[in-house]
Amino acid sequence: MTTRSFLAAVLATGLLASLPVAAQFQKPGDAVKYRQSAFSVMGTHFGRIGAMVQNRVPFDAAALAANAEIVATLSTLPFAAFGEGTDVGDTKALPTVWSQRAKFDAGATRMQQAVVELNSAAKTGDMAKIRPAFGAVGATCKGCHDDFRD
Ligand code: ASC
């Protein structure tokens, strides 16, 4: 990567982080579709890690690390799409997302932190570190599903 493209990437990331993302959705249903899509792709890549952790497919450290990197990126996306007024359509989000917002946000943060730790563990290529980190992420998924998902 050139210095120029690196600076462009840093700038783009900074802009993305500072934009009021929720305002980018034209309709509440677009926000629902967006967050479901992000969770769906995230779940696909998390599932590929799970397949290796559970010995259903052979351990490939590079592939696992690539999947963990994708999960880490995707984990930052869905929560901007839970704005007020997006409790619509075929959402499985329970009203508690909005009525217990601080608890929901805390769960989101816990998941994101666990995913960062899984990503670090994945880079070591050491299954003895990856397996517990994978389990910790799964526990944060389940925690939110129990309280906030139909
Ligand atoms: C997955 C996935 C989830 C979590 C959750 C863990 O693989 O898609 O939502 O794990 O089932 O309890």
Side-chain angles (χ1 to χ4, degrees), residues 31-78:
V32 174
K33 195 193 294 181
Y34 176 93
R35 68 200 189 211
Q36 288 178 341
S37 302
F39 280 129
S40 174
V41 178
M42 198 168 115
T44 297
H45 290 275
F46 187 61
R48 290 177 189 171
I49 298 170
M52 288 188 238
V53 166
Q54 293 155 9
N55 296 314
R56 283 181 279 116
V57 307
F59 178 37
D60 174 337
L64 193 151
N67 281 306
E69 191 70 42
I70 293 167
V71 171
T73 299
L74 286 170
S75 73
T76 66
L77 299 180

Side-chain angles (χ1 to χ4, degrees), residues 5-124:
S5 67
F6 175 74
L7 289 174
V10 168
L11 187 65
T13 307
L15 285 175
L16 207 62
S18 63
L19 284 174
V21 181
Q24 292 174 5
F25 299 110
Q26 300 268 329
K27 304 189 294 288
D30 292 349
V32 174
K33 195 193 294 181
Y34 176 93
R35 68 200 189 211
Q36 288 178 341
S37 302
F39 280 129
S40 174
V41 178
M42 198 168 115
T44 297
H45 290 275
F46 187 61
R48 290 177 189 171
I49 298 170
M52 288 188 238
V53 166
Q54 293 155 9
N55 296 314
R56 283 181 279 116
V57 307
F59 178 37
D60 174 337
L64 193 151
N67 281 306
E69 191 70 42
I70 293 167
V71 171
T73 299
L74 286 170
S75 73
T76 66
L77 299 180
F79 300 100
F82 284 93
E84 290 295 331
T86 62
D87 186 8
V88 297
D90 65 353
T91 186
K92 290 182 193 155
L94 294 173
T96 45
V97 168
W98 293 274
S99 64
Q100 299 177 25
R101 188 73 204 203
K103 186 178 174 190
F104 179 72
D105 289 344
T109 300
R110 266 198 302 280
M111 180 276 284
Q112 289 166 335
Q113 287 168 346
V115 162
V116 166
E117 283 162 26
L118 173 60
N119 197 17
S120 298
K123 289 184 202 306
T124 71

